[in-house]
Amino acid sequence: HDQYDDGNFEWAYNPPPPPPPKSKSSLGMGTMFSMFTLYRFGKDTVTSPDGSIVLDPAYIIAQLRSMEPWRLGLMGMSLYRVVSALSSLF
């Protein structure tokens, strides 16, 4: 009983102040990786097998239709992350 009766309850009535909130930058490493993913996705979409850039809409649509669903999903999540990070700047 005596071990709990030390009378030092100062911390209960005057708790230490909470740490100041970190200023969270919206352009963190995750957003940078998302930008890089979008760059690679775009580069793969408009580059033909021989390395030339093809901006023909029919070719781009054909490339998008032949892509795996997981790549399209990854591109969608990356696009969402970059747009939401950039919209928080303005």
Side-chain angles (χ1 to χ4, degrees):
H1 182 262
D2 287 336
Q3 64 183 356
Y4 300 112
D5 196 19
D6 60 351
N8 186 8
F9 293 112
E10 182 75 23
W11 62 271
Y13 299 108
N14 293 322
K22 292 184 196 176
S23 62
K24 180 163 170 34
S25 171
S26 61
L27 291 177
M29 283 302 288
T31 307
M32 294 298 177
F33 280 128
S34 294
M35 287 180 178
F36 180 69
T37 301
L38 289 174
Y39 167 75
R40 287 290 311 263
F41 184 85
K43 183 177 165 289
D44 291 345
T45 304
V46 299
T47 305
S48 67
D50 65 355
S52 62
I53 294 177
V54 181
L55 296 177
D56 180 27
Y59 178 78
I60 294 172
I61 297 287
Q63 285 288 91
L64 289 174
R65 288 189 180 183
S66 67
M67 281 191 186
E68 300 92 347
W70 65 269
R71 281 193 74 192
L72 293 173
L74 189 64
M75 191 270 310
M77 289 188 300
S78 297
L79 186 63
Y80 172 76
R81 175 147 190 159
V82 168
V83 168
S84 62
L86 292 178
S87 68
S88 69
L89 294 176
F90 299 110

